[in-house]
C-alpha cells in the first residue's frame, strides 16, 4: 500500500496544504479501482514574509527568481519534515513526496508554465523520492496544463458527475464528458479585498459580502470579460485576477461590502454559465443534470453565504444535488490528488488527460528526484 505525501500551494496564498495518503488498488491498469485514506492533513499558514515573496515573484529578475525557486524548495522540504515529526510518522514509511509547487507564471499559449519549489531541494531536505513539475509535459504537448486534477477525480471520485473546486481560482469537472476548465478567479480576489480594506485574512462565512448590495454596472463589466466567452479547453493564470479583475473592483465607487457582494454574485453566475456552456457545446439540455451529484471543495465551500447562494441557483436552474463531504476531502482534495498524480508518475501511468487540457495526447508528467 503506497504512502504518499502531497503538497499543494494555491493562488489564494492561505498556506501550504499537506496530506499524507495511503492508496490501494484492485485490478489491472487502466481499469483498476483505487481507494484512498487520508492519514493526516493540515494547512501550514504562510508567514507574511512568504506571502510577500510568493505574491511578488513575477517581478523578480532571472537570478532572484531561481534563488526563490531553490529556497522555496528547501522550505517545502522543511515543512514536510515538520509534518512528519508532528504526526509521529516514520520517514521510511513514506514512499514519495509529490509537490505541485507554487504557480508563478502560466502561459500555455506560449508553451510555458512555471511552478517554483525545487524538487531536488525537497528531496535533499527529506531524503525521500520526490515528483514535481507536474504540468510541464502537458503544456509541451500543446495542452493548457490545467486543470490536472481530473485524473484523480476519475479514479478517486467516480461517483460524482460534477466536481467544483472553489479555491483561489474556481474550476469545474464534468466526468461524463471528460471536461474540465478554470471558471474564474475566486478566493484570491475575495481574500485580497478583505485584506486590503477590512484588515482581515478572509471573509469568514461571507459575513461582509452578505452586508452588501449588488452593483449591476460592475457585475456587467465583470461578466463581459473575454475569457468567459471562450470555449474550453481553457485555463487561467493568477495575473487574470490581479491585473484585469482587481483593477475593475478598485475603480468602482461602491463600498467594499457592495464590491464583495457583487463579486460573490459574479462567481455564482460564472459557475452557472460554465455548466450552461457544457450543456450547449455538448448538445445536451438542462434536464441532463437533474439529480446528478456535485462535490464542492476548496476554501469557498466554507463560505456559507457563497455556498448557499450557489446551491440555490444550481437547484433552481439545473436541479443538481450538492453532496456533503468530509472536511478533509473539502479542504485537502487537491493535495490528495497531487499525491495521486505523483504516484501515477512513478508507476509510469497517464496522469494528465488530453481530453481535458487539449494536448495532443495523454501524458505522464512530472520530474523525479532521488538522492
Amino acid at each position: 500500500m503506497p504512502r504518499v505525501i502531497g503538497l499543494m500551494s494555491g493562488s489564494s496564498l492561505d498556506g501550504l496544504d499537506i496530506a499524507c495518503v495511503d492508496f490501494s488498488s484492485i485490478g489491472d491498469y487502466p481499469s483498476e479501482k483505487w481507494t484512498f485514506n487520508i492519514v493526516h492533513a493540515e494547512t501550514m499558514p504562510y508567514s507574511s514574509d512568504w506571502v510577500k515573496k510568493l505574491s511578488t515573484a513575477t517581478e523578480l529578475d532571472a537570478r532572484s527568481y531561481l534563488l526563490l525557486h531553490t529556497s522555496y524548495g528547501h522550505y517545502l522540504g522543511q515543512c514536510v519534515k515538520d509534518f512528519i515529526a508532528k504526526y509521529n510518522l516514520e520517514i521510511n514509511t513514506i514512499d514519495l513526496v509529490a509537490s505541485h509547487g507554487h504557480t508563478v507564471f502560466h502561459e500555455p499559449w506560449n508553451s510555458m508554465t512555471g511552478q517554483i519549489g525545487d524538487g531536488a531541494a525537497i528531496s535533499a531536505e527529506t531524503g525521500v523520492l520526490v515528483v514535481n513539475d507536474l504540468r510541464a509535459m502537458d503544456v509541451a504537448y500543446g495542452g493548457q496544463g490545467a486543470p490536472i486534477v481530473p485524473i484523480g477525480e476519475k479514479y478517486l471520485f467516480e461517483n460524482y458527475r460534477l466536481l467544483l473546486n472553489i479555491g483561489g481560482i474556481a474550476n469545474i469537472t464534468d466526468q461524463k464528458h471528460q471536461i474540465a476548465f478554470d471558471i474564474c478567479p475566486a478566493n484570491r480576489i475575495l481574500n485580497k479585498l478583505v485584506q486590503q480594506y477590512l484588515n482581515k485574512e478572509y471573509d469568514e462565512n461571507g459575513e461582509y459580502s452578505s452586508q452588501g448590495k449588488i452593483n449591476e454596472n460592475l457585475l456587467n463589466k465583470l461578466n463581459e470579460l473575454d475569457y468567459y466567452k471562450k470555449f474550453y479547453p481553457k485555463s487561467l493564470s493568477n495575473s487574470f485576477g490581479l491585473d484585469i479583475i482587481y483593477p475593475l473592483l478598485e475603480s468602482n465607487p461602491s463600498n467594499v461590502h457592495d464590491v464583495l457582494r457583487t463579486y460573490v454574485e459574479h462567481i455564482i453566475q460564472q459557475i452557472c454559465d460554465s455548466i450552461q456552456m457544457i450543456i450547449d457545446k455538448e448538445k445536451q439540455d438542462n434536464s441532463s443534470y437533474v439529480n446528478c451529484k456535485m462535490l464542492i471543495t476548496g476554501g469557498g465551500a466554507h463560505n456559507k453565504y457563497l455556498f448557499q447562494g450557489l446551491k440555490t441557483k444550481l437547484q433552481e436552474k439545473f436541479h443538481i444535488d450538492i453532496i456533503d463531504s468530509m472536511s478533509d476531502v473539502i479542504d485537502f482534495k487537491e493535495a490528495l490528488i497531487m499525491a495521486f498524480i505523483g504516484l501515477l508518475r512513478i508507476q509510469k501511468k497517464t496522469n494528465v488527460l488530453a481530453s481535458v487540457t487539449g494536448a495532443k495526447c495523454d501524458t505522464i508528467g512530472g520530474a523525479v528526484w532521488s538522492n
Side-chain angles (χ1 to χ4, degrees), residues 161 279 284-292 317-319:
R161 162 86 181 268
I279 289 171
Q284 306 289 302
D285 56 53
N286 285 20
S287 65
S288 66
Y289 285 107
V290 171
N291 297 326
C292 86
K317 190 166 185 178
F318 305 107
H319 304 287

Side-chain angles (χ1 to χ4, degrees), residues 321-338:
D321 289 336
I322 309 299
I323 307 300
D324 291 332
S325 185
M326 296 177 293
S327 60
D328 58 353
V329 171
I330 291 173
D331 293 332
F332 299 104
K333 171 173 165 274
E334 296 219 329
L336 156 69
I337 292 182
M338 294 308 127

Side-chain angles (χ1 to χ4, degrees), residues 66-83:
L66 290 173
L67 288 172
L68 179 62
H69 172 61
T70 300
S71 64
Y72 184 59
H74 284 285
Y75 168 78
L76 294 177
Q78 186 61 56
C79 286
V80 171
K81 287 197 295 185
D82 292 345
F83 178 86

Side-chain angles (χ1 to χ4, degrees), residues 15 74 106 137 176 221 224 248 299-300:
H74 284 285
H106 184 66
M137 183 66 80
K176 179 180 178 180
K221 287 181 180 178
E224 288 170 1
L248 281 176

Side-chain angles (χ1 to χ4, degrees), residues 12-310:
S12 58
L13 287 173
D14 51 356
L16 176 68
D17 291 339
I18 306 183
C20 178
V21 190
D22 289 339
F23 294 99
S24 61
S25 63
I26 299 174
D28 297 323
Y29 178 79
S31 301
E32 70 261 58
K33 298 291 184 181
W34 286 91
T35 58
F36 68 89
N37 175 48
I38 298 177
V39 181
H40 297 290
E42 74 167 282
T43 298
M44 293 187 171
Y46 285 130
S47 66
S48 58
D49 184 48
W50 271 113
V51 170
K52 183 177 180 180
K53 287 178 180 178
L54 296 175
S55 63
T56 59
T58 57
E59 303 167 14
L60 299 176
D61 59 59
R63 179 176 180 274
S64 298
Y65 179 82
L66 290 173
L67 288 172
L68 179 62
H69 172 61
T70 300
S71 64
Y72 184 59
H74 284 285
Y75 168 78
L76 294 177
Q78 186 61 56
C79 286
V80 171
K81 287 197 295 185
D82 292 345
F83 178 86
I84 288 171
K86 178 177 180 178
Y87 293 104
N88 296 313
L89 299 170
E90 295 290 337
I91 190 69
N92 59 5
T93 68
I94 308 300
D95 297 297
L96 173 69
V97 173
S99 175
H100 172 269
H102 186 82
T103 298
V104 177
F105 298 104
H106 184 66
E107 299 180 10
W109 57 92
N110 285 326
S111 301
M112 184 273 285
T113 186
Q115 289 75 42
I116 59 171
D118 183 16
I122 301 172
S123 185
E125 287 284 349
T126 62
V128 177
L129 185 70
V130 170
V131 172
N132 75 331
D133 204 11
L134 304 174
R135 301 180 186 271
M137 183 66 80
D138 179 81
V139 172
Y141 274 91
Q144 290 288 311
I148 59 173
V149 295
I151 189 70
E153 293 167 337
K154 175 182 177 180
Y155 286 110
L156 306 178
F157 297 96
E158 62 180 354
N159 292 331
Y160 298 95
R161 162 86 181 268
L162 293 171
L163 298 105
L164 175 69
N165 187 72
I166 308 176
I169 294 172
N171 54 64
I172 192 167
T173 300
D174 182 327
Q175 300 225 76
K176 179 180 178 180
H177 297 295
Q178 284 198 335
I179 291 164
F181 55 92
D182 288 340
I183 298 172
C184 65
N187 295 341
R188 183 72 176 94
I189 299 299
L190 295 175
N191 291 354
K192 187 172 174 63
L193 284 167
V194 172
Q195 290 162 6
Q196 181 171 337
Y197 293 103
L198 298 171
N199 199 31
K200 300 288 185 180
E201 286 303 307
Y202 60 96
D203 185 9
E204 187 171 2
N205 293 323
E207 175 187 353
Y208 298 115
S209 55
S210 66
Q211 299 173 28
K213 297 179 180 178
I214 296 174
N215 180 318
E216 294 293 345
N217 182 54
L218 174 60
L219 182 62
N220 289 335
K221 287 181 180 178
L222 292 167
N223 288 335
E224 288 170 1
L225 292 169
D226 288 342
Y227 176 80
Y228 302 129
K229 301 170 187 175
K230 295 179 180 178
F231 285 111
Y232 49 84
K234 59 181 181 176
S235 61
L236 283 169
S237 65
N238 293 335
S239 62
F240 178 78
L242 298 177
D243 298 342
I244 296 176
I245 283 183
Y246 203 74
L248 281 176
L249 305 182
E250 283 189 303
S251 65
N252 191 270
S254 298
N255 65 44
V256 67
H257 298 88
D258 290 349
V259 175
L260 285 164
R261 174 67 187 91
T262 302
Y263 201 74
V264 165
E265 184 64 23
H266 172 65
I267 293 170
I268 292 171
Q269 287 192 14
Q270 287 306 318
I271 291 170
C272 291
D273 287 352
S274 295
I275 294 172
Q276 190 63 55
M277 178 184 286
I278 296 172
I279 289 171
D280 294 343
K281 189 174 181 183
E282 303 303 321
K283 296 180 172 56
Q284 306 289 302
D285 56 53
N286 285 20
S287 65
S288 66
Y289 285 107
V290 171
N291 297 326
C292 86
K293 295 179 180 179
M294 172 184 270
L295 176 64
I296 301 180
T297 58
H302 295 297
N303 184 323
K304 292 181 179 178
Y305 188 68
L306 168 59
F307 184 87
Q308 191 55 52
L310 176 62

